[in-house]
Amino acid sequence: MACRISELVIDAADPERLAEFWKEVLGYAELGRDEDGSIEIGPPGPGFGGPQPTLVLGSGREPRAGKLPLHIDVSPTDRDQDAELERLLALGARRADVGQSGDESWHVLADPEGNEFCLLRARVRPL
């Protein structure tokens, strides 16, 4: 028996805004809201417990932007990296400088609250 990552929890100053951003990036849907203001988003259909983890965006007292001990990597599914980069920037992502050399095969970006994530070059099959 083994464990599987079922959800990732992210503290947010504005959970609503961050949920909207990540729903568009990942093609996720809102799965539920808690009384504390947290919003769970995940794959439409299977939702929680499916092959992809859900994201729980909770109202954090002191959200920390920038380099986190854990960050999200995303890979394009239906377009090349350049086209996906343009889509993410149009959704509100920003380029982030973490000391890249410029020769990397990935792009470092920041979500609307400044949390860094990477757009990888490798295309993966949609689920």
Side-chain angles (χ1 to χ4, degrees):
M1 214 53 168
C3 288
R4 198 163 48 104
I5 295 173
S6 57
E7 61 186 26
L8 299 172
V9 180
I10 301 170
D11 288 343
D14 186 349
E16 188 78 42
R17 181 175 182 218
L18 218 50
E20 289 302 317
F21 175 79
W22 284 107
K23 282 186 338 189
E24 290 296 321
V25 169
L26 300 172
Y28 276 14
E30 184 174 314
L31 301 177
R33 293 174 180 253
D34 284 338
E35 291 178 17
D36 67 359
S38 63
I39 303 168
E40 184 171 15
I41 63 173
F48 179 83
Q52 297 172 279
T54 64
L55 297 180
V56 177
L57 302 140
S59 184
R61 293 188 190 137
E62 295 180 30
R64 181 178 153 198
K67 180 96 171 116
L68 302 174
L70 172 75
H71 73 265
I72 297 172
D73 287 344
V74 297
S75 296
T77 60
D78 62 350
R79 63 197 78 195
D80 67 21
Q81 184 187 42
D82 290 337
E84 184 63 2
L85 175 62
E86 291 307 312
R87 186 181 83 87
L88 296 176
L89 293 172
L91 289 173
R94 300 181 311 277
R95 294 180 185 271
D97 182 359
V98 296
Q100 304 95 302
S101 68
D103 294 325
E104 294 81 8
S105 63
W106 62 87
H107 294 280
V108 181
L109 303 169
D111 70 17
E113 290 200 0
N115 302 302
E116 295 165 0
F117 68 100
C118 294
L119 170 62
L120 305 181
R121 178 174 296 165
R123 187 184 289 188
V124 297
R125 286 181 288 152
L127 293 174

